[in-house]
Amino acid sequence: EAGVAQSPRYKIIEKRQSVAFWCNPISGHATLYWYQQILGQGPKLLIQFQNNGVVDDSQLPKDRFSAERLKGVDSTLKIQPAKLEDSAVYLCASSLGLAGGNEQFFGPGTRLTVL
Amino acid sequence: QKEVEQNSGPLSVPEGAIASLNCTYSDRVSQSFFWYRQYSGKSPELIMSIYSNGDKEDGRFTAQLNKASQYVSLLIRDSQPSDSATYLCAVNPGDMRFGAGTRLTVKP
């Protein structure tokens, strides 16, 4: 069974530029999550999708971050414009969903450096 | 008070010893509890989930949950150098909340 796929693996941009990350969850997983992990901290949930609907985006900085999962499968997270403090690893995770349990499986992450 | 607190590390144990990792959480409605292992530069890997009070064993790993005390722990028996990593406690009262992690080093 293929795991969660993410791209790119690394990205370096200058502040005020925009960037987008892509995630493809495990096949059949209805729930998709985006996390931000700053060095030395645990992952922080940014947004949770159930199929193509948003379940929780309370910690997403909506003035600069946006995410979509239009067809209920893969998802894109965008930052525009980026700030220095956005430097982090962006992790995508998926789970079967409410009926199937909420054990989450993570992709390899995208390491973002904002200069 | 942080929502999920883990014992401050780093924790160092000799090879073959038992490593004990502790976690407390603040939200009493939490029903799902997880331990993830994260190697340096890698993403978190699920190693244990526990939903009911008591112990759950899987190989060398034992998770312990006490909802009344809002406490969950992970024991690693016969620790190996390959167990050296950061261990993340995660609690799900509706949305997943992670602790900051405890770095474990197992010395040969």
Side-chain angles (χ1 to χ4, degrees), chain A residues 29-92:
Chain A
H29 279 197
T31 310
L32 184 148
Y33 313 80
W34 283 102
Y35 289 88
Q36 179 192 60
Q37 186 174 25
I38 293 172
L39 188 65
Q41 299 180 18
K44 183 184 83 170
L45 180 67
L46 293 175
I47 189 167
Q48 176 181 341
F49 292 96
Q50 179 75 16
N51 295 310
N52 61 351
V54 175
V55 173
D56 182 355
D57 63 356
S58 57
Q59 298 193 88
L60 186 73
K62 298 180 185 65
D63 58 333
R64 298 185 301 106
F65 287 63
S66 64
E68 60 184 15
R69 192 185 184 198
L70 294 176
K71 297 182 179 179
V73 180
D74 57 348
S75 175
T76 302
L77 176 70
K78 297 180 181 178
I79 308 175
Q80 182 178 15
K83 293 185 175 181
L84 296 177
E85 59 260 35
D86 298 332
S87 294
V89 176
Y90 290 84
L91 296 163
C92 179

Side-chain angles (χ1 to χ4, degrees), chain B residues 23-84:
Chain B
C23 175
T24 58
Y25 59 95
S26 60
D27 197 327
R28 286 192 169 274
V29 303
S30 302
Q31 294 296 320
S32 309
F33 307 86
F34 307 89
W35 283 99
Y36 285 82
R37 177 176 61 199
Q38 188 170 28
Y39 292 114
S40 181
K42 301 295 185 182
S43 60
E45 173 192 9
L46 180 66
I47 54 173
M48 290 287 284
S49 59
I50 186 166
Y51 302 94
S52 304
N53 279 329
D55 296 357
K56 179 181 178 181
E57 186 175 319
D58 184 0
R60 296 185 297 111
F61 299 96
T62 299
Q64 299 174 318
L65 174 61
N66 184 325
K67 291 184 180 179
S69 300
Q70 295 174 247
Y71 174 89
V72 59
S73 66
L74 180 71
L75 299 177
I76 307 175
R77 291 182 301 281
D78 188 23
S79 295
Q80 301 297 309
S82 58
D83 295 326
S84 297

